[in-house]
Amino acid sequence: MPRTVLIVDDDPGFRAVARALLEADGDFAAAEAGSGAEAVTAVARKRPDAVLLDIGLSSEDGFEDGFALCRALHEVAPATSVVLCSAREAELYGERIARSPAVGFLAKERLSAAELARLIAPGDRDQSSEAR
């Protein structure tokens, strides 16, 4: 049975590409959210195994930034693994990634089903695709 992932990004083009990539080999079944409010609602209703969350998501819906949304998602569903992603490298965010409740970080250019699976695997907490 495929694991479920919610892709949260305000760019519908990226969401479509990420969904196709993650669902290609059958390891993941993906849903999409284009805003923080949509993400909180979807996580509360569906309780996905993972959330792929764009750090640079627009703050128009009440969340200061992607880190604030990450904290909100963790409060709603602590068992859901949140993986932060960005077109930028992890170093630009300093310690904010490590201090967040996210299980790791994945640069958008390195997105793959295998990398996402590795980050959300039990016992693999607090990792980053940047570290390897």
Side-chain angles (χ1 to χ4, degrees):
M1 174 177 258
R3 289 174 281 188
T4 55
V5 59
L6 177 67
I7 302 163
V8 184
D9 197 295
D10 53 4
D11 179 351
F14 175 77
R15 291 194 314 265
V17 169
R19 183 178 198 152
L21 183 69
L22 294 174
E23 291 183 334
D25 63 3
D27 286 342
F28 288 97
E32 301 175 27
S35 70
E38 287 178 22
V40 170
T41 299
V43 167
R45 285 187 189 154
K46 298 178 183 181
R47 305 290 179 172
D49 298 313
V51 173
L52 182 65
L53 173 60
D54 179 20
I55 295 175
L57 193 68
S58 170
S59 62
E60 293 177 4
D61 55 6
F63 295 98
E64 178 183 333
D65 56 20
F67 293 102
L69 178 55
C70 180
R71 290 187 297 274
L73 294 173
H74 183 70
E75 287 177 19
V76 169
T80 295
S81 297
V82 178
V83 174
L84 299 170
C85 70
S86 177
R88 297 183 171 108
E89 296 299 322
E91 293 81 23
L92 294 174
Y93 299 102
E95 291 296 315
R96 294 184 75 193
I97 293 171
R99 288 192 310 258
S100 78
V103 298
F105 174 87
L106 187 57
K108 287 183 177 182
E109 68 183 23
R110 294 183 185 92
L111 178 61
S112 70
E115 277 298 306
L116 182 60
R118 184 185 65 77
L119 286 170
I120 66 172
D124 243 7
R125 301 289 186 219
D126 300 321
Q127 294 201 22
S128 167
S129 69
E130 304 295 306
R132 293 187 180 210

